[in-house]
Amino acid sequence: MDRGEGLGIKLEEQGAHRPTTNPNPSKFAQKVGGSEVCPRCSKAVYAAEKVVGAGQAWHKSCFRCAKCGKGLESTTLADKDGEIYCKGGCRKTVRAFW
């Protein structure tokens, strides 16, 4: 096989593969390059399982009231100190701490 040596072309040896590093350490670049962390279980949250509430990304399975465990929606929650609660009953009982 002709490798172009007659034309003065030199082949370079391939070095070991190294992953590229992100030269931009901004918060936006970190979110795009990686994934967000669920405040309940501290594991990565990917788009397919992401629910946003109280300004944070949660797993669908973690998006539950901290007191009673009821599944929540962004419109049915109240948040306090990084935790989420039912807007109705549980919020009222936890309200004494607010």
Side-chain angles (χ1 to χ4, degrees), residues 8-85:
I9 299 172
K10 296 179 182 178
L11 291 178
E12 293 183 22
E13 293 292 323
Q14 290 185 345
H17 175 72
R18 287 178 280 150
T20 58
T21 57
N22 187 349
N24 184 356
S26 74
K27 193 172 188 178
F28 175 75
Q30 290 173 358
K31 280 191 173 183
V32 172
S35 59
E36 296 170 285
V37 176
C38 176
R40 177 74 41 89
C41 69
S42 301
K43 294 183 181 177
V45 180
Y46 299 100
E49 57 191 0
K50 181 178 177 178
V51 178
V52 177
Q56 298 181 327
W58 303 73
H59 293 110
K60 290 177 186 175
S61 59
C62 293
F63 200 64
R64 301 185 163 282
C65 176
K67 185 165 178 154
C68 72
K70 178 182 175 185
L72 300 172
E73 295 179 12
S74 61
T75 57
T76 63
L77 69 86
D79 64 305
K80 175 68 175 160
D81 297 328
E83 272 299 346
I84 53 176
Y85 301 91

Side-chain angles (χ1 to χ4, degrees), residues 65 67 85-98:
C65 176
K67 185 165 178 154
Y85 301 91
C86 297
K87 208 172 202 177
C90 290
R91 177 180 179 229
K92 290 177 184 174
T93 58
V94 178
R95 192 173 191 187
F97 299 107
W98 289 341

